[in-house]
Amino acid sequence: MISIDKKIDIHLQDYVNYKDATLLAIRGNDERIDHKWKRTEDLFKEIKLEIKELQQFLHKHQDFKIRE
């Protein structure tokens, strides 16, 4: 009976270790995704500003009509 309890304890500890490692990996992926998303949003903002500036330039110099 004692050997069975030890085997169960070992399996339970393996499960806890596996669960903890999996949760750490998931949290790491979530943080990485959030970081990449913030960088992407910043890049989109920069591109949007560049497009606005280009539209204004073309409007001033070539009577460019902006379509929305």
Side-chain angles (χ1 to χ4, degrees):
M1 190 70 167
I2 294 175
S3 65
I4 292 175
D5 288 340
K6 286 183 181 180
K7 287 182 182 178
I8 290 175
D9 288 342
I10 289 171
H11 288 295
L12 288 174
Q13 188 60 44
D14 283 345
Y15 170 74
V16 168
N17 291 341
Y18 176 76
K19 183 183 79 165
D20 290 344
T22 304
L23 288 175
L24 283 173
I26 290 171
R27 285 190 197 122
N29 286 338
D30 287 345
E31 288 175 7
R32 213 173 296 138
I33 289 169
D34 289 343
H35 176 71
K36 294 283 184 184
W37 180 247
K38 287 177 186 174
R39 284 181 48 198
T40 304
E41 283 181 329
D42 292 343
L43 182 63
F44 285 153
K45 287 177 186 176
E46 289 176 17
I47 291 172
K48 187 175 180 179
L49 287 175
E50 290 174 5
I51 291 171
K52 269 286 201 221
E53 289 174 359
L54 183 60
Q55 287 174 340
Q56 290 172 352
F57 175 80
L58 289 173
H59 182 69
K60 283 181 183 177
H61 295 293
Q62 298 176 357
D63 201 27
F64 178 76
K65 301 289 181 196
I66 300 172
R67 290 187 285 166
E68 298 283 331

